[in-house]
Amino acid sequence: MSYEKSVKKIVLAYSGGLDTSIVLRWLQDTYQCEIVTFTANIGQGKDIELAREKAELMGVKEVYVENLCEEFVRDFVFPMLRANTLYEGNYMLGTPIARPLIAKRQIEIANETGADAVAHGATSKGNDQLRFELSYYALKPDIKIIAPWREWNLRSRTSLMNYAEKYHITVQTDKRGATPFSLDANMLHVSSEGKVLEYPEIQAADYIWSNTTSPEDAPDKPTILDIGFENGDPVSIDSKRLSPASILLKLNELGSANGIGRLDLVENRFVGLKNRGLYETPGGTILHVAHRAIESITLDREMGHLKDELMPRYAKLIYNGFWFAPEREMLQSAIDFSQYAVTGTVTMKLYKGNAVVIARKSANSLFSANWVTFEESNLIDYNDKDATGFIKLNALRLRLKKMLQS
């Protein structure tokens, strides 16, 4: 296969793991050009500076390692949470929501360094290749994209291991001395794929869950906490105001200890394949439940129902990689508008895998005990007899249908 020799400089999304280390070496050998590596710290929980050291050892002169945690939570996670987003009813999109941020910064670095190409280590069977590349093209239409998994002849994990051994690339192993599961981690979640997880009929072993305590082993005493919201976004825990990343970090800590946020899912990839993944999203799960609770008392009924109708489309756009598409931005505008009164406090009980709402209050609450009470009320705007006409009008088409069929 021939490769474009006109490429002068490539910005690689580089994690420092096995796959992207092999990608880095392959790009150096194949394209014979300058490589810039970019490593985003989005809360993956490991020493991010190791990626810098590995890149420099492999001869990279321009190495970018940046902390994007606050931007990630503020500008990507929280906007998604405002929509109560779940893909296929379950998945909180921890991996998909991170890709557009990484791609955005890659393109910015390409502009800063004069690079004419970008590259990623996403496989040819997965969704991430779409999420990266659709974002690249949306932000820089003329960018050259290099996707090694669609170009090289390394078609299996075994061939990757052999390549790593040939070029003395360090291979990480798990506690059992084997190559680990395919992991993706950031501040929102940890996901595990591959190996025995490729067989959905086999129960996942306990050791695969790396980010949460087993619900059976969680404390016998529940954790009670208050989450404060302003305009749909969480702003405080137990009345203490925190930054977006600090809020998610604290809720991850509490949720993980209480066994919250585990999901064993078989999902439908955009490319047409089904895939099994184990997802751990402790803080995000707590926020999802709490946000729906504060919306339940502050959001107009029809606005809330419309949001629920729009959410699956919005989730699908993010899952498939269309964060920068105009239709996602249009939906985001509608979602954000709906949050103008979503302000207040939700009290949560965390207990053995469950995130339970036990109270909610807001100065903007649309709930009125005086209106909904079963006791006698002197409200002049609600006449019990009005229900008769309301019911008859709504039953009219049903009555006509039955009479015409008789």
Side-chain angles (χ1 to χ4, degrees), residues 209-283:
W209 302 102
S210 62
N211 196 42
T212 50
T213 299
S214 168
E216 293 87 347
D217 297 331
D220 293 329
K221 181 181 179 181
T223 299
I224 309 296
L225 71 152
D226 291 333
I227 301 176
F229 287 87
E230 290 181 2
N231 303 121
D233 287 344
V235 295
S236 66
I237 298 176
D238 291 334
S239 300
K240 182 179 180 181
R241 293 188 71 91
L242 299 167
S243 73
S246 297
I247 285 176
L248 188 53
L249 188 65
K250 181 62 177 178
L251 293 178
N252 278 339
E253 176 187 331
L254 296 173
S256 176
N258 285 279
I260 291 168
R262 290 187 173 190
L263 176 65
D264 185 333
L265 177 68
V266 175
E267 71 203 57
N268 289 292
R269 286 178 172 173
F270 192 15
V271 296
L273 300 170
K274 288 185 181 289
N275 177 67
R276 182 194 188 189
L278 263 57
Y279 300 108
E280 299 173 84
T281 319

Side-chain angles (χ1 to χ4, degrees), residues 70-350:
E70 289 292 347
E71 182 180 0
F72 175 52
V73 180
R74 182 189 65 239
D75 297 342
F76 292 83
V77 175
F78 279 6
M80 183 177 69
L81 286 172
R82 288 175 213 141
N84 303 317
T85 310
L86 297 173
Y87 177 69
E88 297 188 334
N90 289 289
Y91 180 30
M92 297 196 69
L93 300 174
T95 295
I97 196 60
R99 299 319 189 209
L101 171 59
I102 295 171
K104 168 179 167 288
R105 188 61 189 127
Q106 260 186 284
I107 293 299
E108 291 171 348
I109 292 171
N111 291 333
E112 293 168 11
T113 62
D116 53 347
V118 289
H120 61 77
T123 68
S124 58
K125 290 183 179 179
N127 294 303
D128 278 344
Q129 58 183 334
L130 296 153
R131 297 162 184 159
F132 280 121
E133 295 181 38
L134 290 170
S135 297
Y136 296 150
Y137 281 133
L139 298 170
K140 193 174 178 64
D142 60 345
I143 193 68
K144 167 66 179 173
I145 297 173
I146 300 172
W149 277 90
R150 303 203 300 264
E151 296 184 13
W152 64 23
N153 59 1
L154 303 174
R155 298 300 179 190
S156 68
R157 180 64 57 176
T158 300
S159 61
L160 286 177
M161 298 296 291
N162 292 336
Y163 189 95
E165 183 178 356
K166 178 181 178 180
Y167 291 102
H168 307 292
I169 297 171
T170 302
V171 177
Q172 294 176 322
T173 58
D174 61 21
K175 294 178 181 178
R176 293 161 177 76
T179 54
F181 290 85
S182 176
L183 293 174
D184 179 73
N186 58 49
M187 191 164 283
L188 183 56
H189 88 160
V190 173
S191 70
S192 304
E193 296 178 347
K195 297 176 78 171
V196 72
L197 296 180
E198 294 176 351
Y199 304 93
E201 68 275 13
I202 299 176
Q203 180 179 341
D206 289 342
Y207 69 84
I208 301 174
W209 302 102
S210 62
N211 196 42
T212 50
T213 299
S214 168
E216 293 87 347
D217 297 331
D220 293 329
K221 181 181 179 181
T223 299
I224 309 296
L225 71 152
D226 291 333
I227 301 176
F229 287 87
E230 290 181 2
N231 303 121
D233 287 344
V235 295
S236 66
I237 298 176
D238 291 334
S239 300
K240 182 179 180 181
R241 293 188 71 91
L242 299 167
S243 73
S246 297
I247 285 176
L248 188 53
L249 188 65
K250 181 62 177 178
L251 293 178
N252 278 339
E253 176 187 331
L254 296 173
S256 176
N258 285 279
I260 291 168
R262 290 187 173 190
L263 176 65
D264 185 333
L265 177 68
V266 175
E267 71 203 57
N268 289 292
R269 286 178 172 173
F270 192 15
V271 296
L273 300 170
K274 288 185 181 289
N275 177 67
R276 182 194 188 189
L278 263 57
Y279 300 108
E280 299 173 84
T281 319
T285 299
I286 297 167
L287 285 175
H288 175 81
V289 175
H291 182 258
R292 288 200 69 97
I294 194 63
E295 280 193 330
S296 73
I297 60 172
T298 59
L299 200 61
D300 171 78
R301 180 188 72 184
E302 295 306 315
M303 289 178 71
H305 290 180
L306 181 58
K307 275 188 78 236
D308 285 344
E309 292 175 18
L310 295 174
M311 185 278 288
R313 178 66 185 273
Y314 178 87
K316 187 176 179 180
L317 287 170
I318 296 174
Y319 184 85
N320 290 348
F322 289 97
W323 178 264
F324 293 109
E327 63 270 31
R328 199 282 308 174
E329 294 172 344
M330 181 184 76
L331 288 176
Q332 191 72 59
S333 295
I335 291 161
D336 292 350
F337 175 80
S338 75
Q339 302 296 288
Y340 66 86
V342 183
T343 296
T345 303
V346 177
T347 304
M348 300 288 298
K349 178 169 73 173
L350 314 180

